[in-house]
Amino acid sequence: MAATGFFTDTTVCIGCKACEVACKQWNQLPADGNFFSGRSYDNTVHLEATSWRHVAFVEREKKLSGQISGTRPFSWLFMSDVCKHCRRAGCLEACPTGAIVRNEFESVYVQPDVCNGCGYCVVACPFGVINRRDDDGRAWKCTLCYDRQKEGIEPACAKACPTDSILFGEVESLKEHARKRLSELHARGVTEAYLYGMTADDQPGTEGLNAFFLLVDRPEVYNLPPSPGVPTKTTGISWASMALAAAGMTVAALAAARAGGKR
Ligand code: SF4
Ligand code: SF4
C-alpha cells in the first residue's frame, strides 16, 4: 500500500484552528483547560498527548517578500504542526515493547493496549511530539486518523481546513504538488519559501518526513529543529567507538603487563 501523509502549506493558513478542534473532536481528546499563555493569541502552545494538532502563531516585525499590506514591517505566520510520521522514527526505534508500529499506510502508530508508559519514545522524538497522558500514563500522539483512513476518508484536520493548508494524500503525489507550489511562490517573488523535511536529502537525520511543510522563515521561528536527528541513528557509531576504546585499553593493559614482567 502506498504511504500516505500530510503536506502542510503554511502560506495559506489563516490560523483559524479548525484543524485543532476537528482533531480533538474526532479523537475524543480531553480539553487542556482554559488559560492565557501571555504569548500571542495561541492558548494551546505546543503539541501534547491531548493536542495532536497545534497551530503556531508567529508575529514577526518583518514583511514577506512582495507583501504590500500593513503600514509597518509586520507579518503573521501560522503553522499547523503535527506528528511528522518520520521515515526513520525515533519513537518507534526506542519503544521496548513493540507498542509503536508502522501500519499499512506507513504511518507511525501507537497501540495503546501494548504501551506500558515507560516514556522512552518521549525522549527519542527529535520534534517533542509524543507525550504521556497524566490520566493514564501511556504515550499518545497523532494516528494520522487511522480509523478514518481504514474507511477511505481523509483525516479530520485536513477535512476541516477551509484553505487547504493541510493536504492529505499519497506522499509521492503530495511531493509533486509541493514542488509545484514552491515554484509558483518563487515565481511570485516569495523567494524565502522552502520545503522542510520532504526528502531524506533535505533531512538526513530522519530520512524524510511523511508529514512535511512549506515554510517561509527559519525552522526555529516555527519551533521546529533545524536539523533533527533520530538518536538511534548514531547508536552503531557509539558502540563502534566503545569497542575501539575497549580494544585500545586491552592492548595498553597487555603491553603494560608485558613490560612489568620483563623488569
Ligand atoms: S515526529 Fe516524533 S512522534 Fe512523530 S513519528 Fe517522528 S519521532 Fe515519532
Ligand atoms: S484549519 Fe487550516 S487554515 Fe485553519 S488553522 Fe488549521 S491549517 Fe490553518
Side-chain angles (χ1 to χ4, degrees):
M1 202 169 259
T4 54
F6 290 123
F7 164 47
T8 305
D9 176 353
T10 65
T11 60
V12 289
C13 178
I14 52 171
C16 66
K17 287 199 179 237
C19 50
E20 268 191 40
V21 176
C23 175
K24 281 245 183 211
Q25 207 166 31
W26 180 261
N27 294 296
Q28 300 183 2
L29 301 175
D32 301 307
N34 292 318
F35 72 101
F36 176 58
S37 70
R39 284 162 47 193
S40 188
Y41 295 100
D42 175 13
N43 64 343
T44 328
V45 184
H46 46 66
L47 289 170
E48 251 306 337
T50 50
S51 293
W52 299 350
R53 268 273 174 198
H54 165 243
V55 184
F57 287 12
V58 181
E59 299 174 42
R60 304 188 308 167
E61 288 191 356
K62 188 175 171 182
K63 283 192 177 187
L64 274 173
S65 297
Q67 180 183 332
I68 47 167
S69 60
T71 51
R72 60 187 182 92
F74 184 81
S75 54
W76 276 106
L77 301 181
F78 303 113
M79 180 264 213
S80 181
D81 200 5
V82 71
C83 168
K84 283 64 181 179
H85 296 278
C86 313
R87 302 296 309 161
R88 182 144 182 199
C91 60
L92 187 152
E93 294 187 10
C95 177
T97 64
I100 306 184
V101 293
R102 200 170 285 281
N103 65 22
E104 67 268 39
F105 304 109
E106 296 194 32
S107 316
V108 178
Y109 181 81
V110 189
Q111 304 174 93
D113 54 333
V114 189
C115 175
N116 68 2
C118 69
Y120 286 5
C121 56
V122 178
V123 286
C125 170
F127 299 99
V129 166
I130 193 162
N131 222 327
R132 284 180 295 178
R133 245 160 78 168
D134 290 339
D135 54 355
D136 73 1
R138 292 179 294 175
W140 298 88
K141 69 165 193 74
C142 157
T143 66
L144 227 151
C145 278
Y146 179 66
D147 50 351
R148 290 175 67 98
Q149 282 203 68
K150 287 285 274 183
E151 296 302 319
I153 46 179
E154 66 181 326
C157 57
K159 181 77 188 166
C161 177
T163 63
D164 279 346
S165 173
I166 301 171
L167 287 177
F168 164 78
E170 289 187 4
V171 171
E172 287 313 311
S173 52
L174 289 176
K175 283 182 183 174
E176 215 173 294
H177 179 89
R179 285 191 192 101
K180 272 194 207 142
R181 174 71 184 147
L182 185 68
S183 326
E184 194 182 297
L185 284 169
H186 284 177
R188 284 195 206 164
V190 188
T191 47
E192 59 269 55
Y194 68 100
L195 297 166
Y196 176 86
M198 190 174 79
T199 65
D201 287 343
D202 298 342
Q203 202 172 94
T206 61
E207 299 179 7
L209 311 172
N210 281 358
F212 54 94
F213 301 83
L214 190 150
L215 307 176
V216 291
D217 206 333
R218 290 170 302 119
E220 302 92 309
V221 169
Y222 301 88
N223 203 23
L224 289 170
S227 53
V230 173
T232 40
K233 260 203 119 164
T234 51
T235 309
I237 300 166
S238 308
W239 279 110
S241 314
M242 275 164 63
L244 205 65
M249 282 191 283
T250 310
V251 169
L254 285 173
R258 189 173 294 171
K262 279 184 186 162
R263 248 183 250 137

